[in-house]
Amino acid sequence: MIKRSLFIYLLLPLGVSAQIDLGKYGSISGSFESNNQLYVKDAVTNAVFPQDRIGSNNYLKADYRFQKISMGIQYEAYLPSLQGYPFVLNDAKLVQKYLSYQDTKFGLTVGNFYEQFGSGLVFRSWENRQLGINNAMEGINLRISPTNNLDLKFVYGKQRKNFDKSDGTLRAVDANYQIIKSAEINSEKSLSAGVSFVSRYQQYTGPDPNFKPTVNAFSSRVNYSDNNSTFSAEYVIKSKDEHLANQQNTNTGKALLINYGYSKNNAGFNLNLRRLENMDFRTDRSADQSQLLINYIPALTKQQGYYLSNIYVYNAQTLGEIGGQADLYYNLPKNTKLGGRYGMSIALNYSRYHALQITSQTPTSFESKFFGAGKQLYYNDINLSIKKKHSAKFTSSYLLQHIYYNKSVVESGNYENIKSTIVVVDILYKYFAKKAIRTELQHLFTKQDKGNWMGILMEWSYAPHFSVFASDMYNYGDAGKQVHYYNAGGSYTTGPHKLLLSYGRQRAGLVCVGGVCRLLPAATGLNFSLTSNF
Amino acid sequence: MKLPSIAFLHLLMFIISAKSFSQSGLPVLPIKNISGNSVPFSSAIDTNAVTVISFWSTWCVPCINELDALQESIDEGKMKSFKLIAISTDEARTIQKVMPMVKSRGWTFDIYLDESNEIKRAFNATNIPFVIVIRKGKIVYQKTGFTPGDEDVLIGKVNQVNVSNNP
């Protein structure tokens, strides 16, 4: 079965890539992504050696577009899936298909689709292959703009669950009214208000006659923007929704999100405040981890790109948290004493999250002060990034970060709270027009958990095709086991196609996106990936 | 059988698909400008000139490096007769950082917001940064990733397309 499916899936892109431009009959486009790993035994990292030493996740998406009509498919092959992904992903199937008509005032999609209301706090269907999340809807998606200022969206269907569908059904509607909308396309003045209603039904067959199988959520929002400032606020309320992932909590779900931004000349400021209470919302009461999420609740902290900054990452606590983050951006102008010939960019970020201030509690519910912060600190992060281009050839970047990480809350369990300081120096030397060497030196200081880490990365690139790298993360502070997580590899890129080959060790840890985390297991082996767009 | 088959056929597909990147028929979808005003995607494209579209995010360091490099090229007058638009794929976690970052960095090109990643999906942009060059409604060049020096390759491509556009 798998071999036959593999054959079909591999032939499909060959066929469509040959007839991409159909002239007046439309066009075919698509993408292909393949991530593969050949696992090797490694006693040092305690990596669990899989039954099959090959893991292979593959995704083919193809779309046909003719004027306002489009149709497409997504074919996925897990032969079998990479470690850390759901073990049921062990097959190759055509999992998504759609037919769509889109105009500026009207859009209708039947089949699989992704949609989002507002910021996603009440509803978002999305895909993240790195996390193994794909909660695409299967059903009907209707978009109508009856006037220039009013946009309506309707959604009806079930969510995707691996190769299957959710047990529960989702019905949702969203209305957005543009109160101020300038005729200028790139005008920076805008005021809009929106409301959303999301309803989930899942049949209940238990003994409780008062149990409500339908959960309703209502959201209202406002967005304002002018030449220098932005403001947005969204409030969501969700009816009683006991389920596995929220530990059968019966509290009414509530979420408040406020954003404010101001920018002028070379400076920018941004502030986000958020309070969450019992906001885990799914299409199935028995779903947990990253399965069947209806809404999108990301951690509002700064997303860093360096290895050691991603060891202690926060995950939003949907059962209850209050906090926020602030960002300050400043660019020292070019041709000034400090800015030099090319200027210098500075970014300061601060985020802090607490438990709610609980006033009374039962095993399945709690009372709390709406604007009160509990004593328990979940996460605190202050970080400063500086980037300076010294000359046409030489650019340096720096990161200084201090984190407080409540590991017991974020990762569940009983751990010591962690305080860590991270320092990164990143130097780019572009010694010819297309040739460059980049070096990262990183250090993480902590007295808790596994102690200190140091990291180094060397990368050589020859634009636009070649890049090779070697890196090591050395956990020398771990008294029990001092492990080198080394990696080396290279990539070849031509246009929208990229091949990557590497060999090394992968650290066990959390990968978090959108309030959802997946524990990535330790692994050692050869990695091969291909991404292609046609 | 499994590993050699997968490797060989992937390579074969890569070689064949690498030859074709011409794509016509741009998506008919609304897109939001930096203020959140919804506008037709077609209005973001300059039909009379070459348009360069860059998909980026505030958290993507190579994306920012690429846009900084392109802004520098614009300032130095290296790129001529074209329109550059940068489509932010930031979602709820980071979208509020777009305007402060854009203003503080002094980027002068048009910024659009694709919070639900609908436009990114329509272009089948798997990873970012992802650059597309459009001429007369057709995609004539696509590029994934950014390494230092890629900006010069892109400038050369845009200028070459411009020459063929205006013989």
Side-chain angles (χ1 to χ4, degrees):
Chain A
M1 170 63 187
I2 286 179
K3 280 180 184 172
R4 187 167 59 91
S5 303
L6 174 67
F7 178 74
I8 295 166
Y9 122 85
L10 284 163
L11 278 189
L12 203 52
L14 298 182
V16 295
S17 64
Q19 47 177 313
I20 269 183
D21 197 349
L22 305 177
K24 64 179 181 180
Y25 300 108
S27 64
I28 291 173
S29 62
S31 63
F32 176 71
E33 180 177 352
S34 179
N35 301 310
N36 309 275
Q37 186 155 13
L38 176 66
Y39 297 100
V40 298
K41 284 185 179 171
D42 188 347
V44 177
T45 59
N46 286 332
V48 177
F49 192 66
Q51 287 184 9
D52 191 340
R53 62 188 301 159
I54 297 172
S56 178
N57 291 8
N58 306 275
Y59 312 85
L60 169 73
K61 180 175 176 287
D63 302 294
Y64 168 73
R65 190 175 297 126
F66 175 68
Q67 295 177 359
K68 295 173 181 176
I69 295 170
S70 60
M71 60 182 79
I73 53 126
Q74 180 153 312
Y75 197 85
E76 297 178 13
Y78 303 89
L79 305 166
S81 59
L82 295 167
Q83 273 195 293
Y85 285 77
F87 65 91
V88 291
L89 292 173
N90 189 17
D91 205 342
K93 284 184 180 175
L94 181 67
V95 279
Q96 291 178 216
K97 62 269 179 197
Y98 74 93
L99 175 64
S100 180
Y101 174 86
Q102 296 293 332
D103 200 348
T104 49
K105 298 282 181 187
F106 178 85
L108 175 67
T109 303
V110 178
N112 295 102
F113 59 87
Y114 300 95
E115 185 55 275
Q116 177 173 330
F117 295 169
S119 68
L121 202 53
V122 70
F123 172 61
R124 185 188 191 210
S125 59
W126 55 298
E127 180 185 27
N128 185 295
R129 292 172 183 173
Q130 190 190 5
L131 278 180
I133 288 182
N134 189 334
N135 58 8
M137 292 292 298
E138 183 175 329
I140 295 171
N141 184 16
L142 179 64
R143 176 176 58 79
I144 307 172
S145 303
T147 70
N148 283 340
N149 291 37
L150 181 63
D151 296 308
L152 302 171
K153 292 176 183 175
F154 302 90
V155 166
Y156 197 106
K158 288 174 177 276
Q159 275 185 315
R160 181 180 160 188
K161 180 187 180 186
N162 298 322
F163 285 134
D164 204 351
K165 280 181 284 192
S166 63
D167 187 30
T169 304
L170 205 67
R171 297 77 57 105
V173 57
D174 178 79
N176 195 69
Y177 187 73
Q178 203 82 30
I179 300 161
I180 299 175
K181 183 178 183 180
S182 171
E184 293 287 323
I185 282 169
N186 285 309
S187 163
E188 293 185 354
K189 195 158 194 176
S190 162
L191 175 64
S192 67
V195 288
S196 306
F197 176 73
V198 179
S199 173
R200 182 219 73 199
Y201 166 75
Q202 184 187 16
Q203 187 181 20
Y204 175 73
T205 54
D208 184 354
N210 298 317
F211 192 93
K212 292 185 177 173
T214 301
V215 176
N216 297 321
F218 181 79
S219 158
S220 56
R221 62 183 184 272
V222 63
N223 292 280
Y224 172 78
S225 174
D226 64 24
N227 287 340
N228 298 112
S229 58
T230 58
F231 173 81
S232 66
E234 184 168 1
Y235 182 71
V236 180
I237 190 159
K238 177 171 70 86
S239 64
K240 193 175 164 186
D241 178 22
E242 311 104 296
H243 61 274
L244 178 68
N246 73 355
Q247 299 155 31
Q248 308 299 331
N249 191 288
T250 58
N251 279 33
T252 300
K254 295 168 196 159
L256 175 67
L257 174 66
I258 297 171
N259 301 319
Y260 174 73
Y262 184 81
S263 39
K264 199 166 188 180
N265 300 328
N266 295 319
F269 170 75
N270 181 66
L271 177 71
N272 315 127
L273 301 170
R274 188 174 69 185
R275 182 191 190 274
L276 299 173
E277 179 179 338
N278 199 18
M279 275 307 295
D280 191 286
F281 191 19
R282 299 172 191 251
T283 45
D284 192 315
R285 286 184 292 271
S286 61
D288 63 354
Q289 296 180 347
S290 58
Q291 298 258 308
L292 299 170
L293 291 158
I294 295 173
N295 56 351
Y296 178 69
I297 302 182
L300 295 180
T301 57
K302 184 160 183 177
Q303 204 166 331
Q304 301 284 357
Y306 296 109
Y307 292 142
L308 297 186
S309 284
N310 281 293
I311 290 180
Y312 302 120
V313 287
Y314 185 57
N315 184 21
Q317 301 301 303
T318 52
L319 195 56
E321 73 163 32
I322 188 164
Q325 71 167 332
D327 287 280
L328 187 62
Y329 301 95
Y330 185 65
N331 252 34
L332 289 164
K334 295 173 183 176
N335 301 315
T336 58
K337 195 173 180 181
L338 277 173
R341 184 180 168 189
Y342 296 93
M344 180 165 81
S345 63
I346 300 170
L348 181 66
N349 168 269
Y350 177 71
S351 59
R352 188 177 181 91
Y353 290 90
H354 279 259
L356 297 179
Q357 191 177 347
I358 292 173
T359 51
S360 65
Q361 198 165 11
T362 71
T364 57
S365 68
F366 59 83
E367 295 285 330
S368 60
K369 283 189 177 174
F370 194 83
F371 288 111
K375 285 182 183 172
Q376 192 180 21
L377 178 60
Y378 287 166
Y379 186 77
N380 189 79
D381 177 0
I382 183 162
N383 55 83
L384 175 70
S385 309
I386 296 172
K387 180 185 171 188
K388 183 168 174 58
K389 185 170 178 177
H390 303 271
S391 67
K393 292 184 174 179
F394 182 54
T395 304
S396 62
S397 306
Y398 309 90
L399 170 69
L400 178 63
Q401 182 177 23
H402 183 73
I403 294 172
Y404 173 92
Y405 181 75
N406 190 327
K407 187 172 178 176
S408 307
V409 169
V410 178
E411 297 185 24
S412 297
N414 189 17
Y415 304 101
E416 197 178 4
N417 293 329
I418 296 159
K419 288 178 185 172
S420 76
T421 300
I422 299 151
V423 182
V424 179
V425 178
D426 181 338
I427 293 165
L428 172 70
Y429 181 54
K430 191 178 167 186
Y431 60 100
F432 282 124
K434 294 180 183 177
K435 292 179 183 173
I437 293 173
R438 195 169 72 86
T439 305
E440 281 177 19
L441 300 170
Q442 310 181 23
H443 198 281
L444 182 151
F445 302 89
T446 184
K447 290 177 180 170
Q448 294 87 31
D449 200 33
K450 292 181 178 176
N452 291 354
W453 291 73
M454 65 167 75
I456 185 167
L457 176 138
M458 298 283 288
E459 184 181 20
W460 175 80
S461 60
Y462 184 9
H465 298 304
F466 300 101
S467 172
V468 292
F469 75 94
S471 69
D472 188 23
M473 289 167 64
Y474 179 37
N475 188 195
Y476 73 93
D478 189 354
K481 191 180 276 185
Q482 297 174 333
V483 182
H484 284 276
Y485 291 91
Y486 53 81
N487 271 285
S491 68
Y492 173 75
T493 307
T494 175
H497 316 287
K498 184 168 192 167
L499 279 166
L500 175 69
L501 187 68
S502 68
Y503 181 85
R505 282 179 178 154
Q506 172 185 286
R507 180 184 65 85
L510 281 178
V511 181
C512 300
V513 177
V516 179
C517 291
R518 183 169 70 90
L519 185 64
L520 205 64
T524 303
L526 183 71
N527 302 288
F528 165 71
S529 75
L530 162 66
T531 55
S532 182
N533 179 297
F534 55 88
Chain B
M1 144 63 186
K2 192 191 294 178
L3 183 63
S5 300
I6 293 171
F8 173 73
L9 287 170
H10 281 177
L11 186 63
L12 187 63
M13 201 206 75
F14 178 74
I15 293 164
I16 293 175
S17 63
K19 288 180 181 172
S20 56
F21 49 75
S22 174
Q23 180 186 329
S24 60
L26 301 176
V28 186
L29 289 167
I31 189 169
K32 287 182 175 175
N33 64 16
I34 194 165
S35 314
N37 279 325
S38 194
V39 297
F41 180 76
S42 55
S43 69
I45 308 291
D46 188 338
T47 48
N48 296 316
V50 172
T51 303
V52 176
I53 302 175
S54 172
F55 287 93
W56 71 289
S57 273
T58 55
W59 49 263
C60 167
V61 175
C63 303
I64 293 164
N65 290 343
E66 178 174 62
L67 290 173
D68 277 343
L70 290 176
Q71 181 64 53
E72 209 173 293
S73 301
I74 293 168
D75 294 343
E76 291 170 1
K78 287 184 185 172
M79 289 175 92
K80 293 166 190 167
S81 305
F82 80 105
K83 181 180 184 181
L84 171 63
I85 66 171
I87 299 179
S88 156
T89 60
D90 287 273
E91 11 91 323
R93 180 173 183 180
T94 48
I95 194 162
Q96 61 282 351
K97 301 182 187 212
V98 172
M99 190 188 272
M101 179 178 276
V102 167
K103 295 263 182 176
S104 71
R105 297 191 96 85
W107 292 342
T108 55
F109 37 83
D110 293 344
I111 305 288
Y112 290 87
L113 309 174
D114 183 26
E115 187 178 0
S116 61
N117 288 191
E118 202 173 4
I119 302 290
K120 182 180 166 226
R121 261 194 308 277
F123 277 105
N124 288 300
T126 310
N127 298 313
I128 55 167
F130 193 82
V131 166
I132 299 169
V133 179
I134 295 175
R135 185 189 62 178
K136 293 180 180 173
K138 288 196 173 188
I139 294 172
V140 293
Y141 178 74
Q142 297 180 84
K143 172 80 168 70
T144 188
F146 176 78
T147 51
D150 275 350
E151 69 277 18
D152 294 326
V153 176
L154 180 63
I155 290 164
K157 191 73 197 174
V158 169
N159 291 337
Q160 181 193 335
V161 170
N162 262 323
V163 168
S164 60
N165 202 27
N166 303 301

